[in-house]
PDB file of all heavy atoms in Angstrom:
ATOM      1  N   GLU A1317     -38.976 -13.721  40.454  1.00 95.00           N
ATOM      2  CA  GLU A1317     -37.810 -12.922  40.130  1.00 95.00           C
ATOM      3  C   GLU A1317     -38.213 -11.487  39.826  1.00 95.00           C
ATOM      4  O   GLU A1317     -37.449 -10.525  40.181  1.00 95.00           O
ATOM      5  CB  GLU A1317     -37.109 -13.514  38.863  1.00 95.00           C
ATOM      6  CG  GLU A1317     -36.415 -14.819  39.038  1.00 95.00           C
ATOM      7  CD  GLU A1317     -35.843 -15.326  37.743  1.00 95.00           C
ATOM      8  OE1 GLU A1317     -36.571 -15.849  36.920  1.00 95.00           O
ATOM      9  OE2 GLU A1317     -34.623 -15.111  37.563  1.00 95.00           O
ATOM     10  N   LEU A1318     -39.373 -11.276  39.202  1.00 96.00           N
ATOM     11  CA  LEU A1318     -39.820  -9.931  38.916  1.00 96.00           C
ATOM     12  C   LEU A1318     -40.134  -9.153  40.161  1.00 96.00           C
ATOM     13  O   LEU A1318     -39.993  -7.928  40.217  1.00 96.00           O
ATOM     14  CB  LEU A1318     -41.050  -9.989  37.995  1.00 96.00           C
ATOM     15  CG  LEU A1318     -40.837 -10.573  36.630  1.00 96.00           C
ATOM     16  CD1 LEU A1318     -42.144 -10.749  35.928  1.00 96.00           C
ATOM     17  CD2 LEU A1318     -39.850  -9.706  35.829  1.00 96.00           C
ATOM     18  N   ARG A1319     -40.527  -9.852  41.183  1.00 94.00           N
ATOM     19  CA  ARG A1319     -40.917  -9.209  42.488  1.00 94.00           C
ATOM     20  C   ARG A1319     -39.702  -8.558  43.157  1.00 94.00           C
ATOM     21  O   ARG A1319     -39.840  -7.663  44.007  1.00 94.00           O
ATOM     22  CB  ARG A1319     -41.564 -10.176  43.439  1.00 94.00           C
ATOM     23  CG  ARG A1319     -42.879 -10.771  43.053  1.00 94.00           C
ATOM     24  CD  ARG A1319     -44.033  -9.777  43.110  1.00 94.00           C
ATOM     25  NE  ARG A1319     -44.103  -8.979  44.315  1.00 94.00           N
ATOM     26  CZ  ARG A1319     -44.827  -9.266  45.374  1.00 94.00           C
ATOM     27  NH1 ARG A1319     -45.506 -10.380  45.436  1.00 94.00           N
ATOM     28  NH2 ARG A1319     -44.895  -8.475  46.424  1.00 94.00           N
ATOM     29  N   VAL A1320     -38.459  -9.004  42.851  1.00 92.00           N
ATOM     30  CA  VAL A1320     -37.251  -8.488  43.531  1.00 92.00           C
ATOM     31  C   VAL A1320     -37.075  -7.009  43.242  1.00 92.00           C
ATOM     32  O   VAL A1320     -37.079  -6.188  44.176  1.00 92.00           O
ATOM     33  CB  VAL A1320     -36.002  -9.314  43.174  1.00 92.00           C
ATOM     34  CG1 VAL A1320     -34.779  -8.694  43.709  1.00 92.00           C
ATOM     35  CG2 VAL A1320     -36.142 -10.773  43.633  1.00 92.00           C
ATOM     36  N   PRO A1321     -36.905  -6.554  41.974  1.00 91.00           N
ATOM     37  CA  PRO A1321     -36.779  -5.113  41.803  1.00 91.00           C
ATOM     38  C   PRO A1321     -38.079  -4.361  41.875  1.00 91.00           C
ATOM     39  O   PRO A1321     -38.068  -3.141  42.076  1.00 91.00           O
ATOM     40  CB  PRO A1321     -36.162  -5.035  40.412  1.00 91.00           C
ATOM     41  CG  PRO A1321     -36.588  -6.258  39.681  1.00 91.00           C
ATOM     42  CD  PRO A1321     -36.688  -7.306  40.760  1.00 91.00           C
ATOM     43  N   LEU A1322     -39.165  -5.070  41.663  1.00 91.00           N
ATOM     44  CA  LEU A1322     -40.530  -4.417  41.758  1.00 91.00           C
ATOM     45  C   LEU A1322     -41.170  -4.700  43.105  1.00 91.00           C
ATOM     46  O   LEU A1322     -42.320  -5.036  43.168  1.00 91.00           O
ATOM     47  CB  LEU A1322     -41.418  -4.980  40.589  1.00 91.00           C
ATOM     48  CG  LEU A1322     -40.858  -4.809  39.210  1.00 91.00           C
ATOM     49  CD1 LEU A1322     -41.729  -5.588  38.224  1.00 91.00           C
ATOM     50  CD2 LEU A1322     -40.797  -3.332  38.805  1.00 91.00           C
ATOM     51  N   ARG A1323     -40.422  -4.484  44.110  1.00 88.00           N
ATOM     52  CA  ARG A1323     -40.835  -4.852  45.510  1.00 88.00           C
ATOM     53  C   ARG A1323     -42.042  -4.080  45.985  1.00 88.00           C
ATOM     54  O   ARG A1323     -42.730  -4.484  46.913  1.00 88.00           O
ATOM     55  CB  ARG A1323     -39.683  -4.736  46.480  1.00 88.00           C
ATOM     56  CG  ARG A1323     -39.074  -3.362  46.573  1.00 88.00           C
ATOM     57  CD  ARG A1323     -37.778  -3.422  47.414  1.00 88.00           C
ATOM     58  NE  ARG A1323     -37.002  -2.199  47.290  1.00 88.00           N
ATOM     59  CZ  ARG A1323     -36.153  -1.946  46.292  1.00 88.00           C
ATOM     60  NH1 ARG A1323     -35.969  -2.898  45.364  1.00 88.00           N
ATOM     61  NH2 ARG A1323     -35.466  -0.860  46.233  1.00 88.00           N
ATOM     62  N   ASN A1324     -42.338  -2.932  45.404  1.00 88.00           N
ATOM     63  CA  ASN A1324     -43.509  -2.111  45.790  1.00 88.00           C
ATOM     64  C   ASN A1324     -44.820  -2.472  45.137  1.00 88.00           C
ATOM     65  O   ASN A1324     -45.866  -1.888  45.420  1.00 88.00           O
ATOM     66  CB  ASN A1324     -43.252  -0.661  45.628  1.00 88.00           C
ATOM     67  CG  ASN A1324     -42.140  -0.161  46.544  1.00 88.00           C
ATOM     68  OD1 ASN A1324     -41.958  -0.709  47.642  1.00 88.00           O
ATOM     69  ND2 ASN A1324     -41.347   0.816  46.119  1.00 88.00           N
ATOM     70  N   ILE A1325     -44.784  -3.460  44.221  1.00 91.00           N
ATOM     71  CA  ILE A1325     -45.991  -3.873  43.534  1.00 91.00           C
ATOM     72  C   ILE A1325     -46.596  -5.061  44.262  1.00 91.00           C
ATOM     73  O   ILE A1325     -45.889  -5.923  44.757  1.00 91.00           O
ATOM     74  CB  ILE A1325     -45.643  -4.226  42.030  1.00 91.00           C
ATOM     75  CG1 ILE A1325     -46.973  -4.403  41.207  1.00 91.00           C
ATOM     76  CG2 ILE A1325     -44.793  -5.405  41.931  1.00 91.00           C
ATOM     77  CD1 ILE A1325     -46.697  -4.531  39.724  1.00 91.00           C
ATOM     78  N   THR A1326     -47.946  -5.103  44.322  1.00 95.00           N
ATOM     79  CA  THR A1326     -48.553  -6.250  44.949  1.00 95.00           C
ATOM     80  C   THR A1326     -48.641  -7.381  43.958  1.00 95.00           C
ATOM     81  O   THR A1326     -48.558  -7.173  42.711  1.00 95.00           O
ATOM     82  CB  THR A1326     -50.003  -5.902  45.408  1.00 95.00           C
ATOM     83  OG1 THR A1326     -50.783  -5.600  44.202  1.00 95.00           O
ATOM     84  CG2 THR A1326     -50.015  -4.717  46.372  1.00 95.00           C
ATOM     85  N   SER A1327     -48.794  -8.600  44.429  1.00 95.00           N
ATOM     86  CA  SER A1327     -48.931  -9.783  43.550  1.00 95.00           C
ATOM     87  C   SER A1327     -50.089  -9.570  42.559  1.00 95.00           C
ATOM     88  O   SER A1327     -50.012  -9.946  41.407  1.00 95.00           O
ATOM     89  CB  SER A1327     -49.084 -11.022  44.380  1.00 95.00           C
ATOM     90  OG  SER A1327     -47.946 -11.316  45.102  1.00 95.00           O
ATOM     91  N   LYS A1328     -51.194  -9.092  43.126  1.00 97.00           N
ATOM     92  CA  LYS A1328     -52.384  -8.895  42.286  1.00 97.00           C
ATOM     93  C   LYS A1328     -52.112  -7.935  41.143  1.00 97.00           C
ATOM     94  O   LYS A1328     -52.481  -8.204  39.967  1.00 97.00           O
ATOM     95  CB  LYS A1328     -53.527  -8.371  43.153  1.00 97.00           C
ATOM     96  CG  LYS A1328     -54.779  -8.076  42.385  1.00 97.00           C
ATOM     97  CD  LYS A1328     -55.871  -7.492  43.289  1.00 97.00           C
ATOM     98  CE  LYS A1328     -57.087  -7.096  42.485  1.00 97.00           C
ATOM     99  NZ  LYS A1328     -58.108  -6.429  43.331  1.00 97.00           N
ATOM    100  N   VAL A1329     -51.500  -6.833  41.414  1.00 96.00           N
ATOM    101  CA  VAL A1329     -51.240  -5.787  40.366  1.00 96.00           C
ATOM    102  C   VAL A1329     -50.195  -6.323  39.399  1.00 96.00           C
ATOM    103  O   VAL A1329     -50.314  -6.115  38.198  1.00 96.00           O
ATOM    104  CB  VAL A1329     -50.805  -4.443  41.026  1.00 96.00           C
ATOM    105  CG1 VAL A1329     -50.353  -3.466  39.933  1.00 96.00           C
ATOM    106  CG2 VAL A1329     -51.953  -3.901  41.787  1.00 96.00           C
ATOM    107  N   LEU A1330     -49.146  -7.038  39.871  1.00 97.00           N
ATOM    108  CA  LEU A1330     -48.153  -7.608  38.959  1.00 97.00           C
ATOM    109  C   LEU A1330     -48.840  -8.635  38.019  1.00 97.00           C
ATOM    110  O   LEU A1330     -48.608  -8.639  36.830  1.00 97.00           O
ATOM    111  CB  LEU A1330     -47.000  -8.299  39.735  1.00 97.00           C
ATOM    112  CG  LEU A1330     -45.919  -8.936  38.897  1.00 97.00           C
ATOM    113  CD1 LEU A1330     -45.305  -7.966  37.869  1.00 97.00           C
ATOM    114  CD2 LEU A1330     -44.824  -9.504  39.790  1.00 97.00           C
ATOM    115  N   THR A1331     -49.719  -9.452  38.559  1.00 97.00           N
ATOM    116  CA  THR A1331     -50.440 -10.403  37.742  1.00 97.00           C
ATOM    117  C   THR A1331     -51.264  -9.666  36.693  1.00 97.00           C
ATOM    118  O   THR A1331     -51.288 -10.093  35.509  1.00 97.00           O
ATOM    119  CB  THR A1331     -51.337 -11.320  38.656  1.00 97.00           C
ATOM    120  OG1 THR A1331     -50.504 -12.012  39.547  1.00 97.00           O
ATOM    121  CG2 THR A1331     -52.181 -12.280  37.784  1.00 97.00           C
ATOM    122  N   GLN A1332     -51.984  -8.648  37.071  1.00 97.00           N
ATOM    123  CA  GLN A1332     -52.827  -7.873  36.120  1.00 97.00           C
ATOM    124  C   GLN A1332     -51.955  -7.236  35.044  1.00 97.00           C
ATOM    125  O   GLN A1332     -52.284  -7.284  33.855  1.00 97.00           O
ATOM    126  CB  GLN A1332     -53.580  -6.783  36.848  1.00 97.00           C
ATOM    127  CG  GLN A1332     -54.680  -7.322  37.728  1.00 97.00           C
ATOM    128  CD  GLN A1332     -55.283  -6.234  38.638  1.00 97.00           C
ATOM    129  OE1 GLN A1332     -54.707  -5.184  38.901  1.00 97.00           O
ATOM    130  NE2 GLN A1332     -56.487  -6.477  39.098  1.00 97.00           N
ATOM    131  N   SER A1333     -50.837  -6.691  35.429  1.00 96.00           N
ATOM    132  CA  SER A1333     -49.889  -6.046  34.447  1.00 96.00           C
ATOM    133  C   SER A1333     -49.343  -7.094  33.490  1.00 96.00           C
ATOM    134  O   SER A1333     -49.289  -6.829  32.270  1.00 96.00           O
ATOM    135  CB  SER A1333     -48.796  -5.312  35.172  1.00 96.00           C
ATOM    136  OG  SER A1333     -49.211  -4.271  35.893  1.00 96.00           O
ATOM    137  N   LEU A1334     -48.955  -8.242  34.005  1.00 97.00           N
ATOM    138  CA  LEU A1334     -48.418  -9.260  33.118  1.00 97.00           C
ATOM    139  C   LEU A1334     -49.512  -9.757  32.165  1.00 97.00           C
ATOM    140  O   LEU A1334     -49.232  -9.990  30.955  1.00 97.00           O
ATOM    141  CB  LEU A1334     -47.905 -10.462  33.976  1.00 97.00           C
ATOM    142  CG  LEU A1334     -46.568 -10.157  34.723  1.00 97.00           C
ATOM    143  CD1 LEU A1334     -46.329 -11.221  35.781  1.00 97.00           C
ATOM    144  CD2 LEU A1334     -45.402 -10.052  33.739  1.00 97.00           C
ATOM    145  N   ARG A1335     -50.712  -9.960  32.636  1.00 97.00           N
ATOM    146  CA  ARG A1335     -51.792 -10.362  31.752  1.00 97.00           C
ATOM    147  C   ARG A1335     -52.070  -9.357  30.662  1.00 97.00           C
ATOM    148  O   ARG A1335     -52.332  -9.706  29.501  1.00 97.00           O
ATOM    149  CB  ARG A1335     -53.082 -10.607  32.571  1.00 97.00           C
ATOM    150  CG  ARG A1335     -53.011 -11.917  33.383  1.00 97.00           C
ATOM    151  CD  ARG A1335     -54.275 -12.113  34.191  1.00 97.00           C
ATOM    152  NE  ARG A1335     -54.151 -13.330  34.972  1.00 97.00           N
ATOM    153  CZ  ARG A1335     -54.892 -13.601  36.019  1.00 97.00           C
ATOM    154  NH1 ARG A1335     -55.796 -12.712  36.436  1.00 97.00           N
ATOM    155  NH2 ARG A1335     -54.713 -14.716  36.701  1.00 97.00           N
ATOM    156  N   THR A1336     -52.023  -8.051  30.992  1.00 95.00           N
ATOM    157  CA  THR A1336     -52.261  -7.001  30.043  1.00 95.00           C
ATOM    158  C   THR A1336     -51.130  -7.001  28.986  1.00 95.00           C
ATOM    159  O   THR A1336     -51.400  -6.886  27.816  1.00 95.00           O
ATOM    160  CB  THR A1336     -52.389  -5.627  30.726  1.00 95.00           C
ATOM    161  OG1 THR A1336     -53.452  -5.702  31.639  1.00 95.00           O
ATOM    162  CG2 THR A1336     -52.585  -4.511  29.737  1.00 95.00           C
ATOM    163  N   LEU A1337     -49.890  -7.105  29.459  1.00 96.00           N
ATOM    164  CA  LEU A1337     -48.752  -7.159  28.497  1.00 96.00           C
ATOM    165  C   LEU A1337     -48.849  -8.377  27.588  1.00 96.00           C
ATOM    166  O   LEU A1337     -48.516  -8.296  26.407  1.00 96.00           O
ATOM    167  CB  LEU A1337     -47.457  -7.172  29.294  1.00 96.00           C
ATOM    168  CG  LEU A1337     -47.031  -5.834  29.960  1.00 96.00           C
ATOM    169  CD1 LEU A1337     -45.896  -6.028  30.954  1.00 96.00           C
ATOM    170  CD2 LEU A1337     -46.708  -4.801  28.924  1.00 96.00           C
ATOM    171  N   GLU A1338     -49.329  -9.511  28.127  1.00 97.00           N
ATOM    172  CA  GLU A1338     -49.479 -10.665  27.308  1.00 97.00           C
ATOM    173  C   GLU A1338     -50.603 -10.461  26.287  1.00 97.00           C
ATOM    174  O   GLU A1338     -50.436 -10.766  25.081  1.00 97.00           O
ATOM    175  CB  GLU A1338     -49.763 -11.885  28.195  1.00 97.00           C
ATOM    176  CG  GLU A1338     -49.927 -13.170  27.419  1.00 97.00           C
ATOM    177  CD  GLU A1338     -50.286 -14.374  28.318  1.00 97.00           C
ATOM    178  OE1 GLU A1338     -50.640 -14.165  29.475  1.00 97.00           O
ATOM    179  OE2 GLU A1338     -50.130 -15.534  27.811  1.00 97.00           O
ATOM    180  N   ARG A1339     -51.738  -9.924  26.736  1.00 95.00           N
ATOM    181  CA  ARG A1339     -52.847  -9.651  25.848  1.00 95.00           C
ATOM    182  C   ARG A1339     -52.445  -8.697  24.730  1.00 95.00           C
ATOM    183  O   ARG A1339     -52.892  -8.875  23.598  1.00 95.00           O
ATOM    184  CB  ARG A1339     -53.989  -9.040  26.689  1.00 95.00           C
ATOM    185  CG  ARG A1339     -55.254  -8.746  25.842  1.00 95.00           C
ATOM    186  CD  ARG A1339     -56.182  -7.750  26.474  1.00 95.00           C
ATOM    187  NE  ARG A1339     -55.482  -6.436  26.503  1.00 95.00           N
ATOM    188  CZ  ARG A1339     -55.714  -5.504  27.427  1.00 95.00           C
ATOM    189  NH1 ARG A1339     -56.521  -5.739  28.424  1.00 95.00           N
ATOM    190  NH2 ARG A1339     -55.037  -4.340  27.362  1.00 95.00           N
ATOM    191  N   ASP A1340     -51.619  -7.705  25.041  1.00 94.00           N
ATOM    192  CA  ASP A1340     -51.219  -6.713  24.045  1.00 94.00           C
ATOM    193  C   ASP A1340     -50.080  -7.194  23.119  1.00 94.00           C
ATOM    194  O   ASP A1340     -49.637  -6.472  22.255  1.00 94.00           O
ATOM    195  CB  ASP A1340     -50.811  -5.424  24.752  1.00 94.00           C
ATOM    196  CG  ASP A1340     -51.997  -4.728  25.413  1.00 94.00           C
ATOM    197  OD1 ASP A1340     -53.164  -5.110  25.112  1.00 94.00           O
ATOM    198  OD2 ASP A1340     -51.754  -3.856  26.255  1.00 94.00           O
ATOM    199  N   GLY A1341     -49.584  -8.396  23.379  1.00 96.00           N
ATOM    200  CA  GLY A1341     -48.524  -9.029  22.500  1.00 96.00           C
ATOM    201  C   GLY A1341     -47.114  -8.610  22.860  1.00 96.00           C
ATOM    202  O   GLY A1341     -46.218  -8.889  22.044  1.00 96.00           O
ATOM    203  N   PHE A1342     -46.898  -8.047  24.063  1.00 96.00           N
ATOM    204  CA  PHE A1342     -45.547  -7.610  24.419  1.00 96.00           C
ATOM    205  C   PHE A1342     -44.758  -8.758  25.121  1.00 96.00           C
ATOM    206  O   PHE A1342     -43.519  -8.711  25.079  1.00 96.00           O
ATOM    207  CB  PHE A1342     -45.577  -6.405  25.324  1.00 96.00           C
ATOM    208  CG  PHE A1342     -46.171  -5.186  24.648  1.00 96.00           C
ATOM    209  CD1 PHE A1342     -47.208  -4.496  25.216  1.00 96.00           C
ATOM    210  CD2 PHE A1342     -45.670  -4.736  23.439  1.00 96.00           C
ATOM    211  CE1 PHE A1342     -47.761  -3.375  24.606  1.00 96.00           C
ATOM    212  CE2 PHE A1342     -46.253  -3.629  22.811  1.00 96.00           C
ATOM    213  CZ  PHE A1342     -47.297  -2.923  23.385  1.00 96.00           C
ATOM    214  N   ILE A1343     -45.415  -9.667  25.780  1.00 97.00           N
ATOM    215  CA  ILE A1343     -44.729 -10.783  26.450  1.00 97.00           C
ATOM    216  C   ILE A1343     -45.473 -12.061  26.120  1.00 97.00           C
ATOM    217  O   ILE A1343     -46.589 -12.103  25.711  1.00 97.00           O
ATOM    218  CB  ILE A1343     -44.661 -10.555  27.973  1.00 97.00           C
ATOM    219  CG1 ILE A1343     -46.055 -10.575  28.625  1.00 97.00           C
ATOM    220  CG2 ILE A1343     -43.885  -9.283  28.315  1.00 97.00           C
ATOM    221  CD1 ILE A1343     -46.023 -10.604  30.133  1.00 97.00           C
ATOM    222  N   ILE A1344     -44.709 -13.143  26.357  1.00 98.00           N
ATOM    223  CA  ILE A1344     -45.241 -14.530  26.250  1.00 98.00           C
ATOM    224  C   ILE A1344     -45.154 -15.134  27.643  1.00 98.00           C
ATOM    225  O   ILE A1344     -44.107 -15.035  28.302  1.00 98.00           O
ATOM    226  CB  ILE A1344     -44.416 -15.359  25.223  1.00 98.00           C
ATOM    227  CG1 ILE A1344     -44.557 -14.769  23.858  1.00 98.00           C
ATOM    228  CG2 ILE A1344     -44.833 -16.809  25.258  1.00 98.00           C
ATOM    229  CD1 ILE A1344     -43.582 -15.434  22.818  1.00 98.00           C
ATOM    230  N   ARG A1345     -46.214 -15.825  28.007  1.00 97.00           N
ATOM    231  CA  ARG A1345     -46.241 -16.611  29.243  1.00 97.00           C
ATOM    232  C   ARG A1345     -46.098 -18.058  28.900  1.00 97.00           C
ATOM    233  O   ARG A1345     -46.885 -18.601  28.128  1.00 97.00           O
ATOM    234  CB  ARG A1345     -47.575 -16.348  29.968  1.00 97.00           C
ATOM    235  CG  ARG A1345     -47.716 -17.112  31.257  1.00 97.00           C
ATOM    236  CD  ARG A1345     -49.074 -16.810  31.831  1.00 97.00           C
ATOM    237  NE  ARG A1345     -49.301 -17.443  33.137  1.00 97.00           N
ATOM    238  CZ  ARG A1345     -49.828 -18.624  33.342  1.00 97.00           C
ATOM    239  NH1 ARG A1345     -50.236 -19.343  32.319  1.00 97.00           N
ATOM    240  NH2 ARG A1345     -49.975 -19.084  34.546  1.00 97.00           N
ATOM    241  N   THR A1346     -45.063 -18.736  29.440  1.00 97.00           N
ATOM    242  CA  THR A1346     -44.813 -20.127  29.146  1.00 97.00           C
ATOM    243  C   THR A1346     -44.867 -20.919  30.458  1.00 97.00           C
ATOM    244  O   THR A1346     -44.194 -20.644  31.418  1.00 97.00           O
ATOM    245  CB  THR A1346     -43.391 -20.296  28.526  1.00 97.00           C
ATOM    246  OG1 THR A1346     -43.323 -19.473  27.369  1.00 97.00           O
ATOM    247  CG2 THR A1346     -43.197 -21.743  28.098  1.00 97.00           C
ATOM    248  N   VAL A1347     -45.734 -21.991  30.442  1.00 95.00           N
ATOM    249  CA  VAL A1347     -45.830 -22.842  31.544  1.00 95.00           C
ATOM    250  C   VAL A1347     -44.937 -24.044  31.268  1.00 95.00           C
ATOM    251  O   VAL A1347     -45.115 -24.699  30.235  1.00 95.00           O
ATOM    252  CB  VAL A1347     -47.295 -23.331  31.765  1.00 95.00           C
ATOM    253  CG1 VAL A1347     -47.393 -24.299  32.903  1.00 95.00           C
ATOM    254  CG2 VAL A1347     -48.202 -22.126  31.956  1.00 95.00           C
ATOM    255  N   HIS A1348     -44.046 -24.328  32.164  1.00 93.00           N
ATOM    256  CA  HIS A1348     -43.113 -25.496  32.032  1.00 93.00           C
ATOM    257  C   HIS A1348     -43.591 -26.599  32.971  1.00 93.00           C
ATOM    258  O   HIS A1348     -43.653 -26.422  34.169  1.00 93.00           O
ATOM    259  CB  HIS A1348     -41.674 -25.070  32.422  1.00 93.00           C
ATOM    260  CG  HIS A1348     -41.078 -24.055  31.534  1.00 93.00           C
ATOM    261  ND1 HIS A1348     -40.536 -24.381  30.312  1.00 93.00           N
ATOM    262  CD2 HIS A1348     -41.025 -22.697  31.633  1.00 93.00           C
ATOM    263  CE1 HIS A1348     -40.073 -23.245  29.752  1.00 93.00           C
ATOM    264  NE2 HIS A1348     -40.377 -22.245  30.542  1.00 93.00           N
ATOM    265  N   ALA A1349     -43.999 -27.684  32.366  1.00 91.00           N
ATOM    266  CA  ALA A1349     -44.423 -28.848  33.100  1.00 91.00           C
ATOM    267  C   ALA A1349     -43.217 -29.663  33.545  1.00 91.00           C
ATOM    268  O   ALA A1349     -42.123 -29.490  33.066  1.00 91.00           O
ATOM    269  CB  ALA A1349     -45.358 -29.715  32.221  1.00 91.00           C
TER     270      ALA A1349
END
C-alpha cells in the first residue's frame, strides 16, 4: 500500500526507511500470522 503514493522509491530503500523509523520509535511493525 505504501508503494502506491511512493512509486519512485525502490523496495530496498522503502525497507531501509521503515526499519529506521521502527528503530527510532516512530512506527511499529506487526506481523499477522
Side-chain angles (χ1 to χ4, degrees):
E1317 290 179 280
L1318 295 172
R1319 294 290 312 268
V1320 173
L1322 302 172
R1323 60 189 166 275
N1324 293 330
I1325 190 172
T1326 65
S1327 294
K1328 177 183 175 183
V1329 172
L1330 180 55
T1331 298
Q1332 290 171 338
S1333 294
L1334 288 166
R1335 286 180 181 159
T1336 300
L1337 288 167
E1338 182 181 16
R1339 181 200 67 210
D1340 293 343
F1342 297 127
I1343 66 171
I1344 295 172
R1345 178 182 185 267
T1346 305
V1347 178
H1348 296 277

